[in-house]
Amino acid sequence: MQTYHVKVERTDPQHARASVRDFTLELGARRADTEAGFNPVETLLSAAGACLLTGLQFVAQTSQIPLEGAWVELEATRQDKPPTLTQIRYRLHLKSPAPPERLERLLELAERNSTVLQTLAQAVRLEGSWEVAP
């Protein structure tokens, strides 16, 4: 069992600061303000993407699948009443000479090893796809 602890504090009317150990993350914290920085939903999507890429790297190394690069684009759909995300979609781009069936299995295992994706999948419809990047 692992426990996580993050402190988030309001720094001014438009911003919040998250801190953990010796690291900080500045966040936008004013509704509909696209100039203040990452809003909470964008931060959630970023966490999901980072967690997926972490799992991907772990599985690629342990499975000895060559992975020259990877990035993921995420998108969420939000409804207003009640305010909730109804869907999260992602597209994973992989740079690898491995055959498609090995990359498909790599993604399957990476998803299973992603704490954030596994958690989100229990709360919202989650759809993912992948492609080999040039």
Side-chain angles (χ1 to χ4, degrees):
M1 183 72 72
Q2 185 172 356
T3 301
Y4 298 89
H5 177 82
V6 175
K7 177 184 175 186
V8 181
E9 62 184 319
R10 198 72 185 233
T11 57
D12 63 45
Q14 284 120 349
H15 300 94
R17 178 179 300 125
S19 57
V20 60
R21 298 176 303 281
D22 292 329
F23 302 97
T24 61
L25 178 62
E26 300 296 322
L27 304 166
R30 186 170 177 189
R31 186 178 172 100
D33 184 350
T34 59
E35 303 298 316
F38 279 61
N39 68 37
V41 172
E42 292 162 337
T43 305
L44 177 71
L45 294 177
S46 298
C51 195
L52 177 60
L53 292 175
T54 300
L56 187 76
Q57 186 64 39
F58 171 76
V59 173
Q61 285 177 338
T62 58
S63 302
Q64 298 181 355
I65 296 174
L67 188 60
E68 299 160 1
W71 68 94
V72 62
E73 298 174 271
L74 298 100
E75 180 178 81
T77 303
R78 178 188 182 274
Q79 72 180 25
D80 287 333
K81 293 184 183 182
T84 188
L85 298 180
T86 59
Q87 182 180 30
I88 295 174
R89 294 168 299 286
Y90 69 86
R91 180 87 170 155
L92 182 64
H93 305 269
L94 302 171
K95 282 187 159 187
S96 175
E101 57 276 358
R102 287 201 74 200
L103 295 176
E104 183 71 38
R105 181 73 175 144
L106 172 65
L107 177 57
E108 182 182 311
L109 292 172
E111 287 174 336
R112 278 198 221 157
N113 281 283
S114 173
T115 303
V116 177
L117 279 185
Q118 289 294 315
T119 302
L120 289 173
Q122 294 179 37
V124 65
R125 191 169 77 224
L126 186 62
E127 294 178 10
S129 63
W130 66 277
E131 68 178 21
V132 175

